[in-house]
Amino acid sequence: MPTLLQLCASHKSVGSYAGKITYDANESGPQWRHLVSLISKEEQFNCISNLTVAETLMFMARLRLGGLSMSDREVRVNELISMLGLEKCRDVRIGSATVRGISGGEKKRVGLGLGLVSSPRIVLLDEPTTGLDSAISFDVMHHVKESACLKLQRTVVVAIHMPSQEIYNLFDNLVLVSEGRMVYSGPAANAVSHFTSSPHDAVVNAKENPADFLISICSGGRSKAGAT
């Protein structure tokens, strides 16, 4: 079955689904796929494990930026390498299970760079921290916020499970989904107070990670008795 973000990116897969995608109050059309870039959680580097970081990004630039000159593509690639903090590994091979290469966090940032090469207006990140420890996960998400959101002014939509409090604090807006139904949509800073006020009246521990509290709410494990 396709994931929610695959459906949002109009990536058709097995299974049936219904509904429509709107953007700026207009229903998406054929141009939609040129505005959005989906970065999947699965690594897609098996076929290019022997290429370096710079070569990998240039390969994608040549595929997607046919209208630009080679020098302009090189400028785009160099900007992304600098923006994503990949200067130290720009000439290191991507690597694979049998070929030594860059770290998992660096691979995630290269994946982000591949999605940003074509300058999409919307970036969809499907579980970008899967398989990473908490420190590297924050590093990846920090680069997402600083590079894609703040510097490039792109809209970034992230599907993520069990974020740390540091990562949660990077979010601007939040959509919570439970059993396929939306239970909250709004500013991330207001999500906890939404559930601790009437009629929910859930109780949150002052030192609790907001993400843990909200996950508990979505799973039905939080009552008015609150946390202990």
Side-chain angles (χ1 to χ4, degrees), residues 4-197:
L4 174 62
L5 294 192
Q6 286 174 331
L7 295 178
C8 290
S10 296
H11 283 210
K12 292 180 171 56
S13 184
V14 295
S16 60
Y17 52 91
K20 61 182 180 180
I21 300 171
T22 59
Y23 177 69
D24 284 345
N26 298 311
E27 188 168 353
S28 62
Q31 79 285 357
W32 173 248
R33 294 192 66 175
H34 299 289
L35 300 176
V36 64
S37 176
L38 172 66
I39 302 173
S40 175
K41 65 179 177 180
E42 291 87 8
E43 301 293 357
Q44 303 295 327
F45 302 121
N46 291 335
C47 62
I48 53 177
S49 59
N50 286 316
L51 296 183
T52 67
V53 169
E55 289 170 340
T56 300
L57 292 170
M58 179 56 71
F59 177 74
M60 185 61 72
R62 295 180 70 176
L63 287 177
R64 295 189 175 181
L65 302 176
L68 296 183
S69 66
M70 182 61 72
S71 60
D72 287 337
R73 294 173 196 163
E74 290 176 351
V75 169
R76 178 72 58 82
V77 167
N78 288 332
E79 288 176 343
L80 288 173
I81 288 175
S82 176
M83 190 181 305
L84 295 171
L86 295 169
E87 297 95 335
K88 291 183 179 180
C89 63
R90 65 172 294 137
D91 297 318
V92 180
R93 291 186 297 183
I94 296 295
S96 65
T98 57
V99 178
R100 184 174 181 179
I102 59 178
S103 68
E106 290 166 339
K107 280 189 177 182
K108 294 289 185 179
R109 281 185 270 152
V110 172
L112 178 61
L114 294 175
L116 291 173
V117 161
S118 59
S119 295
R121 296 183 64 179
I122 300 173
V123 180
L124 306 179
L125 296 179
D126 198 353
E127 299 186 37
T129 60
T130 297
L132 304 178
D133 63 36
S134 58
I136 297 177
S137 294
F138 175 76
D139 180 63
V140 169
M141 294 305 300
H142 173 74
H143 277 90
V144 169
K145 182 68 177 282
E146 290 292 319
S147 303
C149 298
L150 300 180
K151 292 182 180 178
L152 296 179
Q153 294 290 297
R154 298 296 185 257
T155 297
V156 178
V157 180
V158 181
I160 191 169
H161 297 285
M162 303 295 291
S164 66
Q165 184 165 352
E166 290 77 12
I167 291 177
Y168 182 86
N169 291 338
L170 296 173
F171 299 155
D172 296 311
N173 295 290
L174 183 70
V175 175
L176 294 177
V177 178
S178 177
E179 298 182 349
R181 302 174 69 89
M182 185 173 66
V183 296
Y184 176 81
S185 177
N190 298 343
V192 171
S193 61
H194 172 79
F195 290 103
T196 56
S197 60

